[in-house]
Amino acid sequence: GENVEQHPSTLSVQEGDSAVIKCTYSDSASNYFPWYKQELGKRPQLIIDIRSNVGEKKDQRIAVTLNKTAKHFSLHITETQPEDSAVYFCAADRPQGGKLIFGQGTELSVKP
Amino acid sequence: NAGVMQNPRHLVRRRGQEARLRCSPMKGHSHVYWYRQLPEEGLKFMVYLQKENIIDESGMPKERFSAEFPKEGPSILRIQQVVRGDSAAYFCASSLSLAANTGELFFGEGSRLTVL
């Protein structure tokens, strides 16, 4: 079936701490895993993505890891800042059909 | 290059009325996706269209909902005889090619439907 599970649903950290959000997927044929950030009342925007031919990707304070064997991938944000506060969505592609299936979202709150 | 444009941004309808949501993809994008977001929930896939074709409508309710992406003009998501449970934010996204091939889906700002 089509399923992407995301945890936790809410996450509160102190400014400067790290935040980790985890996702699992069910379709072993998936090979593209993006992460989107959605600020309150705004559109979701891509922040980082990873493909199945790599295990880790980093962009400044944001990194994503992928374990294809276990079918899970994670978002890591280091040195969190208040402006990182938002809802974060993971997603996995459905190669047959081309759509993205999204996780339930994680509401991240970074306290100054 | 304008982004994905959705209108209206906000729409209020009474039960039983029709709602029409429009989406103009980014210039050059031929793939359009509609997602529904309920309050404090994730993005639920509804339908994927290419010009004049529905590729995947597995997430769209069989009754009252329809979508099109004509050769000319925007993609339209149509909800007939709306009920309170249809109240949600409807997001449109477009991509240059299949999401898995070229990556990014570009989202519009969403249309927020309220059914009274």
Side-chain angles (χ1 to χ4, degrees):
Chain A
E2 305 176 345
N3 211 19
V4 176
E5 297 289 334
Q6 183 171 348
H7 300 280
S9 56
T10 60
L11 179 59
S12 182
V13 300
Q14 287 295 133
E15 183 177 0
D17 288 350
S18 295
V20 180
I21 302 170
K22 298 182 179 182
C23 288
T24 60
Y25 61 99
S26 58
D27 188 349
S28 56
S30 296
N31 55 30
Y32 173 63
F33 308 92
W35 287 86
Y36 282 78
K37 176 183 180 182
Q38 185 180 28
E39 296 177 358
L40 188 63
K42 297 293 182 74
R43 71 182 81 191
Q45 291 189 294
L46 180 74
I47 55 171
I48 195 167
D49 57 16
I50 192 168
R51 295 185 184 277
S52 58
N53 57 342
V54 299
E56 184 173 356
K57 184 176 178 180
K58 191 172 182 180
D59 182 4
Q60 298 183 346
R61 295 186 298 109
I62 295 173
V64 58
T65 59
L66 171 66
N67 183 328
K68 229 181 154 350
T69 303
K71 289 193 278 190
H72 67 68
F73 55 114
S74 300
L75 177 72
H76 304 252
I77 306 174
T78 58
E79 301 171 30
T80 53
Q81 301 166 4
E83 50 265 40
D84 294 330
S85 296
V87 179
Y88 291 81
F89 293 98
C90 64
D93 74 313
R94 291 280 295 174
Q96 290 185 336
K99 66 195 179 194
L100 289 181
I101 302 300
F102 285 83
Q104 299 90 332
T106 296
E107 183 175 0
L108 174 64
S109 175
V110 180
K111 299 186 186 307
Chain B
N1 187 10
V4 177
M5 304 299 292
Q6 287 189 249
N7 67 84
R9 294 289 313 278
H10 300 274
L11 182 63
V12 179
R13 285 287 180 266
R14 297 191 181 279
R15 281 180 295 170
Q17 292 185 319
E18 178 180 287
R20 279 185 183 237
L21 310 177
R22 288 175 289 278
C23 169
S24 296
M26 285 185 70
K27 187 176 181 180
H29 287 194
S30 60
H31 299 248
V32 166
Y33 309 78
W34 285 93
Y35 287 83
R36 177 163 65 178
Q37 186 174 38
L38 291 167
E40 300 186 6
E41 288 192 13
L43 294 156
K44 300 292 187 188
F45 169 78
M46 298 183 72
V47 61
Y48 162 40
L49 312 101
Q50 293 181 27
K51 280 288 187 182
E52 300 185 274
N53 290 305
I54 295 175
I55 306 302
D56 183 343
E57 56 182 348
S58 59
M60 199 158 66
K62 295 278 188 285
E63 297 180 354
R64 302 188 299 107
F65 285 73
S66 62
E68 62 177 13
F69 188 17
K71 187 176 179 181
E72 301 291 337
S75 175
I76 295 174
L77 180 67
R78 181 183 178 205
I79 312 172
Q80 296 178 288
Q81 299 170 358
V82 296
V83 300
R84 289 216 174 103
D86 296 333
S87 296
Y90 292 84
F91 283 93
C92 171
S94 73
S95 67
L96 190 60
S97 183
L98 285 176
N101 291 342
T102 59
E104 187 169 0
L105 290 190
F106 291 84
F107 281 85
E109 294 283 0
S111 291
R112 283 156 181 81
L113 171 66
T114 301
V115 179
L116 301 177

